[in-house]
Amino acid sequence: MKVTLSALDTCETSFTPLVVIELAQDVKEETKEWLKNRIIAKKKDGGAQLLFRPLLNKYEKETLENQNLYLVGASNIRLLLGAEALGLVKECNDNTMRAFTYGTRQNFKGFGDDNDDFLTMAECQFIIKHELENLRARDEKMIPGYPQAKLYPGKSLLRRLITSGIVIQMFPLHDNEALKKLEDTWYTRLTLKYQPIDNIRGYFGETIALYFGFLEYFTFALIPMAIIGLPYYMFVWEDYDKYVIFALFNLIWSTVILEVWKRGCATMAYRWGTLVMKRQFEEPRPGYHGVLGINPVTGREEPLYPSYKRQMRIYLVSLPFVCLCLYFCLYVMMIYFDMEDWALQLHENSESEWTSVLLYVPSIIYAIVIEIMNRLYRYAAEFLTSWENHRLESAYQNHLILKVLVFDFLNCFASLFYIAFVLRDMKLLRQSLATLLITSQILNQIVESLLPYWLQKKHGVQVKRKVQALKADIDVTLCEQVILEKEMGTYLGTFDDYLELFLQFGYVSLFSCVYPLAAAFAVLNNFTEINSDALKMCRVFKRPFSEPSASIGIWQLAFETMSVISVVTNCALIGMSPQVNAIFPDSKVDLILIVVAVEEMSLLLKKYLL
């Protein structure tokens, strides 16, 4: 017998809360009642058919500063039907991967009528998020109580509530028991072991799991570089020109590791069912605006914005601004070289321990300035990309990533290229690379993990004191958890995490042949990064919604582009080395042809054989 959504009960008052919705403090009662009715109404009546209740009653709200917090959940059958609607892929009893259907539920591994764990909590929260985001206006012209918040048929109610300031935030709750088990196998015991990637995927979803899988893979891929680099550094430390062998190894390493990762990534995605999962139709992003019209593809009424206007904004405003920022970072680089000359002259005039230390000060200051400029530019890039008014979130992310990568690449690596190929000073190149790499790693650890964790611990003590004032007959544990989590920072995605790895990959693959310890420092940093990022995900930020993913997306292309630049750079460094030049003392043309041939062979190997 086929179960329909209209047959489900939506009047349960006791249920497992999965998602929290926070409303603004001054939201009108008629708006709250309308939102509640739309969430619990049956699907055939335009509702989400979910379970909904306030966290606190009237007295408790007054005690706890009038918290407008509401809990959302769903019955097990409702979640299973939601999984079918989303096309979630599960493993069948015959070991094949198929899209789940409620009618054939008994054919799937791990399913039982009395088993509530068939869907992971992350999948359940993703289903609820999808249902809430797909609550659409029917015949309403505005949100009740807010005539300025206009609606039209097909408009996402949640997106209008957020842009109107009525809904402050929506976030999934942590499962404290499951979280504790995950922490025990993940980062609380500092031992060298593989991460529980499948458990991370079950709790946080595929996107987060793929990031940690890539971080672990990249860290282990760095170990051969570190093992070779340590003795190479020790025995040829003072001879800055003997880097040819290490550059050749660097050439092969940067070409191979990304191709191996793609195979491992595809294996994980198939095991999780995202490799064969149908891609959902992408809705317009919340910040998208335009003149109301009919979308010719979907037939829905939605804002329309002419493409030529967006292109004008990109090419007449965004592009010149990015070019201006690139010029400014080159100007700052030249100031850095002036500081280097000043420190060197001071050291030559009066050699002492103090002036020897002073030689590293310009590089340290420049490394700090680079980090500050990267973060300031990031805010400007986000503003510009949002102003360009991209319809889809994927288009917004692609344009943002392109802007940030171009600037960060030039800002972080321009000085190294200038030293290597213009000044041709390998001693200064080694010093600059070491300082930039180590300083950036220390700053990232402090800013991204240690400081937020300290602030979160401090806030947790304040929340516990407030919750103790509540009546004893309520679920204090749940109230404390919800109120604590709502004040946590919002995890904005894996953008910054991948960007940090991208820059680290650049430092190691481009110029580590002149500073072989770069890979060793990267390995040490990444072992710390795994634990600090795990702590950040579990204890510092709100739990992010799960997002199905089959790869690391556009970052794969970014790393591959860096790999191509690495091949060209290492070939050029080999061609500049005194050892290779000694083989061709009279014919520089032959040398150039051989270097170009090696470069082309490496690129062809990468493209066709791997």
Side-chain angles (χ1 to χ4, degrees), residues 217-237:
Y217 168 80
F218 182 55
T219 303
F220 280 104
L222 283 166
I223 291 177
M225 291 279 288
I227 292 174
I228 295 174
L230 285 171
Y232 201 92
Y233 178 86
M234 293 171 61
F235 294 118
V236 293
W237 162 245

Side-chain angles (χ1 to χ4, degrees), residues 88-113:
L88 293 185
V89 175
K90 290 287 187 178
E91 187 177 4
C92 295
N93 292 324
D94 60 0
N95 298 322
T96 60
M97 305 297 294
R98 297 178 189 170
F100 175 79
T101 59
Y102 188 80
T104 61
R105 59 192 181 278
Q106 299 296 341
N107 297 334
F108 290 85
K109 274 188 179 180
F111 182 85
D113 291 326

Side-chain angles (χ1 to χ4, degrees), residues 39-172:
I39 290 175
I40 67 175
K42 296 183 182 299
K43 292 284 283 186
K44 64 174 182 165
D45 298 325
Q49 207 156 345
L50 300 172
L51 306 175
F52 182 86
R53 69 175 174 86
L55 173 66
L56 306 172
N57 61 36
K58 182 177 180 181
Y59 168 79
E60 293 154 0
K61 287 180 182 178
E62 294 172 355
T63 306
L64 208 57
E65 301 177 359
N66 191 27
Q67 301 288 346
N68 272 329
L69 297 168
Y70 295 84
L71 305 177
V72 184
S75 65
N76 191 40
I77 296 177
R78 176 68 185 88
L79 291 170
L80 292 173
L81 292 172
E84 178 179 350
L86 275 171
L88 293 185
V89 175
K90 290 287 187 178
E91 187 177 4
C92 295
N93 292 324
D94 60 0
N95 298 322
T96 60
M97 305 297 294
R98 297 178 189 170
F100 175 79
T101 59
Y102 188 80
T104 61
R105 59 192 181 278
Q106 299 296 341
N107 297 334
F108 290 85
K109 274 188 179 180
F111 182 85
D113 291 326
D114 56 347
N115 180 18
D116 293 338
D117 298 327
F118 176 69
L119 296 174
T120 67
M121 189 175 183
E123 289 173 331
C124 294
Q125 291 167 333
F126 175 66
I127 292 167
I128 288 180
K129 172 177 176 277
H130 178 266
E131 295 297 339
L132 290 174
E133 288 181 339
N134 279 276
L135 269 176
R136 300 192 177 277
R138 304 185 87 184
D139 53 358
E140 303 102 326
K141 301 298 182 184
M142 65 178 187
I143 293 175
Y146 295 87
Q148 74 278 10
K150 302 295 183 182
L151 294 173
Y152 50 85
K155 173 65 180 176
S156 171
L157 297 181
L158 182 64
R159 292 173 185 241
R160 174 58 75 209
L161 289 166
I162 291 174
T163 54
S164 301
I166 299 169
V167 170
I168 302 299
Q169 61 179 331
M170 179 180 74
F171 60 93

Side-chain angles (χ1 to χ4, degrees), residues 11-23:
C11 299
E12 297 181 38
T13 57
S14 177
F15 59 87
T16 301
L18 295 171
V19 173
V20 176
I21 296 177
E22 181 184 7
L23 303 182

Side-chain angles (χ1 to χ4, degrees), residues 378-399:
R378 169 73 182 276
Y379 293 124
E382 287 177 347
F383 172 80
L384 274 178
T385 311
S386 179
W387 177 74
E388 289 166 6
N389 198 27
H390 296 280
R391 178 178 178 272
L392 302 180
E393 183 65 26
S394 59
Y396 170 86
Q397 289 295 332
N398 290 343
H399 281 80

